[in-house]
Amino acid sequence: MKVIAAYLLAVLGGNNAPSAADVKKILGCVGADAEDDRIELLLSGVKGKDVSELIAAGMEKLATVPSGGGGGAVAAAAPAGDAAPEPAAPAKKEEKVEENEESDGEGMFGLFD
């Protein structure tokens, strides 16, 4: 991943066709080891291709990867000291209580209806 990141940084910096030396220089600036075989593999794979097209193709492939479910497991895995924020309480519905106006005529005001 670091080789790909260095390559993309070079492209972002304006170098549309970074060489192995360019990638090594970027990796050296951050103290990362430059693996020649991985750099050459990357450069041979992207040679003559537009980076934005490669990224778009990768995004299409990622769209097909399932990534849902299991929301409860995340909360259970949180450390005890880091309490997850509580979900917002649903808006309280105002319940309209209908008064029973019927009366049994005995002054009970419908208490035992």
Side-chain angles (χ1 to χ4, degrees), residues 85-91:
E86 293 185 25

Side-chain angles (χ1 to χ4, degrees), residues 18 22 28 31 35 37 42 47 53 56 68 70 82 84 89 94 99:
D22 296 329
E35 301 169 9
D37 57 335
L42 174 69
K47 186 175 183 176
E53 290 176 7
D82 297 336
E94 223 174 283
E99 295 182 24

Side-chain angles (χ1 to χ4, degrees), residues 31-86:
D33 296 330
E35 301 169 9
D36 293 332
D37 57 335
R38 293 198 183 261
I39 294 171
E40 292 303 322
L41 179 66
L42 174 69
L43 293 178
S44 65
V46 298
K47 186 175 183 176
K49 297 179 182 176
D50 183 35
V51 174
S52 58
E53 290 176 7
L54 291 173
I55 292 173
M59 293 298 286
E60 289 176 12
K61 289 180 182 178
L62 283 176
T64 62
V65 176
S67 62
V74 173
D82 297 336
E86 293 185 25

Side-chain angles (χ1 to χ4, degrees), residues 15-37:
N15 185 353
N16 292 331
S19 65
D22 296 329
V23 174
K24 286 180 185 180
K25 183 177 178 182
I26 292 171
L27 290 172
C29 287
V30 295
D33 296 330
E35 301 169 9
D36 293 332
D37 57 335

